[in-house]
Amino acid sequence: MKHNICELFDIEYPLIQGGMAWVAEHKLAAAVSNAGGLGIIAAGNAPVAVVRDEIRKAKELTKKPFGVNIMLISPNAAEIAQLVIDEGVKIVTTGAGSPEKYIPMWKEAGIKVVPVVSSVAFAKRLERYEVDAIIAEGTEAGGHIGENTTMALIPQVVDAVSIPVIAAGGIGDGRGLAAVFMLGASGAQLGTRFVVAKESIVHDNYKQRIINSKDVDSVVTGRSIGHPVRGLRNTMTRKYLQMEKEGVDFMELEALTVGKLREAVINGDVMNGTVMAGQIAGLIKKEQTCKEIIDEIMEQAKELLSRKYVI
Ligand code: TUI
């Protein structure tokens, strides 16, 4: 294998937990890191003081490395970019925008920088900034997404850059991990599977909605306005899609979603809130601890990768 992300991040297994706003807080991140993966705290739109507190609490729960995800469209992104340096965070992942202006200060501070991208062009652009690895995310992922599928995106990004590529989007078990290794990835990032982890603070209604979902249950809202977001179908997505079809303007559609992720994740309103989840939700059948999830994925992937295939 070309790259070893376990060495890069000083972790045991090549598995990263996605930086999901509201979901990826310190307990989940610490549980993933303690189980040998790379736990991530998502800053989302949270104020700096909240993220600082999350980082400090995670440090109390684990001595293993963990990262912070910075959502670049957050109004607090610049302050959080500085906070991760002040708090001695070792790894930063970014999403929903370009981290270019922050990369020099993070590199200077010795932080490993790992942006999430959904296209080859953006991966190449960021490689020139000497990022340490790239997370290439397919359209199967939950939340804010690009157009390419993981199957098509990963080999193209792998061929275009010489840094490690971590695959995301549509990976939920050891078969997914083994498959993305075959595509040239050096590891995988999983979101939806960790939403239903025992250590996840997500409301039980949200977890049950994922556990009970089928392959066809996710929909993409906001495509027509250039802001595609994948989530599970409900009253909210039906209303959004109807308004989108009627050509309602960007601001009005955006207004419909304000505060709705929190409504579902924290308050459990899975009908009127935004239930972000990936296409792999249909595969997830039970709540498990992060350790059970990671051990199961690794065992399954190892068995598959040791098989002899007939060609
Ligand atoms: O960031 C994500 N997924 C997210 S962010 C998010 S926050 C939110 N969104 C809507 C409603 C409420 C909350 C939810 N899900 N994934 C990583 C990712 N980033 N995928 C694609 C990108 C991306 C998109 C545009 C990266 C860069 C980019 O533009 C860069 C440029 O400047 O061209």
Side-chain angles (χ1 to χ4, degrees):
M1 203 168 66
K2 205 164 144 198
H3 299 288
N4 185 336
I5 62 158
C6 293
E7 275 174 21
L8 177 67
F9 299 137
D10 190 24
I11 55 177
E12 212 174 329
Y13 306 118
L15 290 173
I16 304 183
Q17 164 242 317
M20 303 162 283
W22 289 106
V23 174
E25 48 66 76
H26 68 279
K27 288 191 202 77
L28 184 65
V32 170
S33 290
N34 283 334
L38 183 66
I40 302 281
I41 291 169
N45 278 318
V48 176
V50 171
V51 183
R52 183 185 295 117
D53 199 41
E54 287 293 319
I55 294 168
R56 292 183 180 177
K57 284 177 176 159
K59 282 182 191 161
E60 283 170 19
L61 296 181
T62 185
K63 296 291 158 248
K64 305 262 181 82
F66 65 88
V68 171
N69 174 267
I70 304 182
M71 193 187 62
L72 293 158
I73 49 174
S74 164
N76 307 323
E79 280 179 274
I80 291 164
Q82 181 59 47
L83 174 76
V84 292
I85 296 175
D86 299 343
E87 293 297 315
V89 170
K90 302 277 190 299
I91 300 145
V92 166
T93 67
T94 65
S98 176
E100 276 144 305
K101 65 178 172 194
Y102 306 119
I103 297 173
M105 67 193 237
W106 289 335
K107 299 293 297 178
E108 175 77 16
I111 294 176
K112 300 263 179 356
V113 182
V114 192
V116 180
V117 306
S118 48
S119 72
V120 169
F122 199 39
K124 282 167 80 169
R125 199 166 107 195
L126 290 172
E127 184 180 34
R128 289 199 285 276
Y129 282 80
E130 299 186 10
V131 299
D132 296 276
I134 284 281
I135 300 170
E137 186 182 82
T139 196
E140 299 93 322
H144 179 80
I145 48 169
E147 288 293 340
N148 284 310
T149 59
T150 298
M151 183 80 126
L153 180 66
I154 303 305
Q156 295 187 71
V157 174
V158 167
D159 284 354
V161 300
S162 49
I163 49 177
V165 176
I166 296 151
I171 305 159
D173 65 10
R175 290 171 295 185
L177 177 61
V180 297
F181 274 135
M182 294 296 105
L183 299 176
S186 306
Q189 174 176 281
L190 283 73
T192 309
R193 178 107 189 238
F194 286 119
V195 173
V196 296
K198 286 211 170 121
E199 296 90 341
S200 153
I201 52 96
V202 170
H203 196 284
D204 197 50
N205 292 353
Y206 200 120
K207 292 186 182 180
Q208 291 310 318
R209 184 72 180 84
I210 290 176
I211 287 169
N212 295 324
S213 72
K214 300 190 294 293
D215 57 341
V216 291
D217 284 355
S218 83
V219 288
V220 179
T221 54
R223 246 201 188 110
S224 68
I225 57 165
H227 190 216
V229 170
R230 183 181 302 284
L232 298 180
R233 191 193 308 277
N234 61 7
T235 308
M236 157 77 180
T237 63
R238 268 189 288 276
K239 191 163 156 197
Y240 191 110
L241 290 169
Q242 181 57 35
M243 285 168 71
E244 210 178 339
K245 212 158 79 186
E246 288 164 5
V248 168
D249 77 53
F250 179 87
M251 296 301 280
E252 205 178 322
L253 286 171
E254 279 303 281
L256 206 62
T257 65
V258 174
K260 293 293 170 61
L261 182 59
R262 181 183 196 282
E263 205 46 39
V265 172
I266 308 296
N267 297 340
D269 187 349
V270 292
M271 288 320 294
N272 303 298
T274 303
V275 187
M276 289 185 191
Q279 287 184 335
I280 206 68
L283 187 82
I284 298 164
K285 296 288 174 231
K286 58 178 188 284
E287 202 177 339
Q288 292 169 295
T289 66
C290 290
K291 184 169 167 33
E292 285 165 351
I293 292 171
I294 289 176
D295 287 349
E296 191 179 289
I297 292 172
M298 290 313 301
E299 197 179 323
Q300 195 181 15
K302 276 181 196 158
E303 196 276 321
L304 287 168
L305 294 169
S306 69
R307 272 191 207 173
K308 284 193 173 59
Y309 293 89
V310 180
I311 51 165

